[in-house]
Amino acid sequence: STKPKIVGLWNPEGSSSCFLNVIIQLFWHVKRFRNEVLSTNELGTHDLDSNLKILFQEMHNTNDQSISSLTFRNSLTRSCDDQYKEGNTADCVEVFEQILWKLNELCPKFDIVEKIFALYSFEESVCDCLFFYQSNPNKSFVFRLYMAEFRQEYFEKKLSFETIISIICDENIPACGNKTHNRKLLRTLLYLPEIFSVSLIWQTNPDISLIQSFVNIIKKNIYLNLIFDLPNSCEYILIGIICYFNGHYLAYYCNEDDYDIWTLFDDTNIRIIGNLEQLLKNIRSSQHRPILLLYNLKSNKQSLFKQEPNDMKYLRRDWLLLSCGHCKICYRFLGNVKLSVHYADFHSPQNILRYSNLSLIPRPQLSLFEMHKKKQEYEKLKFSK
């Protein structure tokens, strides 16, 4: 295990490197990712991953206050069809995702990218009228929130961040259209990532009061079991905030040994801010707009399930979906990739029942299934009469 050196990154005039510098600092301040990149032999066979490792080695060994990230930027540009040439600016969250997808694609044996950052989620709902919705399991590296959906009344009622996220996500799950119907909603994760990254997507010129109100609800901890239907308490701790102001990106990261010490990383300008309260005060007074929140799983011993599959590179599950007697669909997928699909006359998606041949299903899913089953029994009774 290596402690991160405090190293600045150059942003020469005209190079527009701030969007990449904040992301490099992000990777550098995720302890497990930094240690794995520095120690693994699985990197170095491709241009991008090789230069990431070289950059990390330089950050680890240098005695200089700041170094250049240009070599890594050039390799990223080559990997992404000349998209990030020197002098061009870009969305830093998009770059964050691009790098992770590329590492995932180029270095499949370097599965730490999946374990640390990948977010596997799905949603489903059952309505009184038997309208049934189920999303495909989705893999992403960020959890997106559209700030236009944040209403001022949420802040006036002093709702928690988790509660607001849950309300917004529930509103976005497809429904039958009848607002008088009751819905049972399920939103869950298939696997707990070590890092939970929240992307905040703002309108072009957001109201300052909305930014200030949002900053006020940022807390040290976030509990994913209040956002997703999970059987256990899942606590994450805030370790980083990337902000945008006046065409420029800057970032704040906390000390990995003391979560109450926060440091500003603005290219080569680095200074200690203080605790989280002082940090949020600084963000409000500077009118910085948070665009990415980074949370770290408090304990690696936390799990969604009582037992884990032997191979945690991907979450393996076998799903069996049955409908009303003469329809059958069998899904088997690895991660979010369906390996096989078999079906016959699948005419009634509203009546899907779902089982799993693994004993890893979180308890909330069973209540959804039971509700659906009772609805089916009621329908059969009604038609038999």
Side-chain angles (χ1 to χ4, degrees):
S1 178
T2 59
K3 288 190 176 182
K5 283 189 176 180
I6 305 299
V7 182
L9 296 168
W10 297 348
N11 183 14
E13 186 176 351
S15 69
S16 300
S17 295
C18 61
F19 73 90
L20 182 59
N21 288 346
V22 292
I23 298 304
I24 293 171
Q25 294 288 5
L26 182 159
F27 289 135
W28 182 246
H29 282 84
V30 174
K31 182 178 181 179
R32 189 178 177 196
F33 184 79
R34 180 184 69 250
N35 291 336
E36 290 285 345
V37 169
L38 288 171
S39 63
T40 187
N41 293 321
E42 299 297 342
L43 296 179
T45 56
H46 299 89
D47 188 23
L48 182 67
D49 58 283
S50 177
N51 280 297
L52 176 64
K53 185 167 185 174
I54 291 171
L55 176 61
F56 271 27
Q57 288 172 338
E58 189 175 356
M59 292 177 75
H60 177 63
N61 296 322
T62 188
N63 292 319
D64 297 331
Q65 292 184 338
S66 57
I67 62 174
S68 173
S69 60
L70 181 59
T71 302
F72 177 70
R73 178 171 183 167
N74 289 338
S75 66
L76 178 63
T77 300
R78 289 189 292 270
S79 300
C80 300
D81 301 322
D82 293 339
Q83 195 173 351
Y84 304 116
K85 285 184 177 180
E86 189 176 12
N88 295 344
T89 189
D91 184 313
C92 77
V93 178
E94 177 187 301
V95 172
F96 171 60
E97 291 183 280
Q98 280 270 25
I99 293 173
L100 290 176
W101 282 111
K102 285 293 180 181
L103 289 175
N104 204 195
E105 173 191 340
L106 296 173
C107 314
K109 291 184 179 180
F110 188 60
D111 59 354
I112 203 68
V113 171
E114 292 266 348
K115 292 179 181 179
I116 295 179
F117 297 102
L119 193 69
Y120 290 96
S121 63
F122 72 92
E123 301 172 328
E124 57 187 8
S125 68
V126 176
C127 183
D128 283 345
C129 66
L130 286 184
F131 175 87
F132 183 80
Y133 166 77
Q134 181 185 51
S135 69
N136 289 322
N138 176 56
K139 173 187 171 183
S140 63
F141 290 113
V142 297
F143 184 78
R144 288 178 174 80
L145 290 176
Y146 293 88
M147 301 309 295
E149 298 177 346
F150 277 64
R151 302 170 190 164
Q152 198 61 41
E153 63 186 82
Y154 298 156
F155 305 116
E156 293 171 356
K157 292 179 180 179
K158 296 184 178 180
L159 301 179
S160 68
F161 189 23
E162 296 96 328
T163 301
I164 296 175
I165 293 175
S166 187
I167 290 172
I168 291 172
C169 289
D170 287 353
E171 290 175 346
N172 289 329
I173 294 179
C176 68
N178 191 327
K179 294 184 179 180
T180 63
H181 289 181
N182 293 317
R183 285 199 300 164
K184 175 67 178 178
L185 304 173
L186 171 67
R187 183 173 53 257
T188 195
L189 296 175
L190 300 181
Y191 177 63
L192 275 183
E194 290 186 26
I195 297 295
F196 181 61
S197 309
V198 182
S199 170
L200 308 171
I201 301 170
W202 299 84
Q203 293 174 299
T204 305
N205 293 304
D207 194 295
I208 296 299
S209 62
L210 177 62
I211 299 175
Q212 302 281 2
S213 297
F214 176 77
V215 173
N216 289 337
I217 67 169
I218 296 177
K219 305 298 180 187
K220 181 179 179 180
N221 309 80
I222 191 171
Y223 294 85
L224 292 201
N225 56 293
L226 299 179
I227 302 172
F228 301 94
D229 293 287
L230 305 175
N232 304 319
S233 176
C234 301
E235 182 182 2
Y236 283 70
I237 298 176
L238 183 68
I239 62 167
I241 302 177
I242 294 179
C243 294
Y244 181 82
F245 177 71
N246 199 24
H248 183 68
Y249 291 101
L250 56 142
Y252 302 89
Y253 296 106
C254 70
N255 187 308
E256 64 184 34
D257 295 322
D258 187 347
Y259 292 129
D260 285 328
I261 300 177
W262 285 80
T263 304
L264 165 68
F265 290 85
D266 183 4
D267 297 327
T268 57
N269 176 27
I270 299 174
R271 61 186 173 89
I272 295 176
I273 300 297
N275 60 27
L276 181 60
E277 184 179 345
Q278 292 169 312
L279 166 65
L280 297 178
K281 183 179 179 181
N282 183 75
I283 291 176
R284 282 191 295 266
S285 62
S286 305
Q287 297 185 358
H288 293 164
R289 187 194 314 170
I291 60 167
L292 188 68
L293 304 179
L294 204 68
Y295 294 90
N296 190 69
L297 185 63
K298 185 176 181 180
S299 171
N300 288 333
K301 295 180 180 180
Q302 294 186 74
S303 174
L304 287 178
F305 313 112
K306 294 180 181 178
Q307 55 178 315
E308 302 283 6
N310 293 328
D311 180 7
M312 288 306 293
K313 179 177 179 180
Y314 300 98
L315 181 71
R316 285 190 166 98
R317 284 176 176 272
D318 292 276
W319 299 101
L320 177 65
L321 297 119
L322 304 173
S323 74
C324 49
H326 33 237
C327 313
K328 183 168 73 172
I329 293 188
C330 301
Y331 283 93
R332 176 180 172 83
F333 66 91
L334 184 63
N336 68 339
V337 181
K338 295 174 185 174
L339 299 184
S340 62
V341 179
H342 309 286
Y343 61 95
D345 188 26
F346 184 59
H347 69 274
S348 184
Q350 294 92 336
N351 292 329
I352 294 176
L353 297 180
R354 190 186 65 218
Y355 295 87
S356 171
N357 67 356
L358 298 181
S359 59
L360 303 180
I361 291 243
R363 193 174 300 275
Q365 294 190 39
L366 298 179
S367 63
L368 181 67
F369 158 70
E370 289 165 357
M371 175 183 175
H372 200 182
K373 185 176 180 181
K374 287 179 181 179
K375 288 292 183 182
Q376 280 197 314
E377 292 170 349
Y378 171 76
E379 288 295 307
K380 289 180 180 178
L381 181 64
K382 186 171 68 173
F383 286 122
S384 66
K385 292 180 179 179

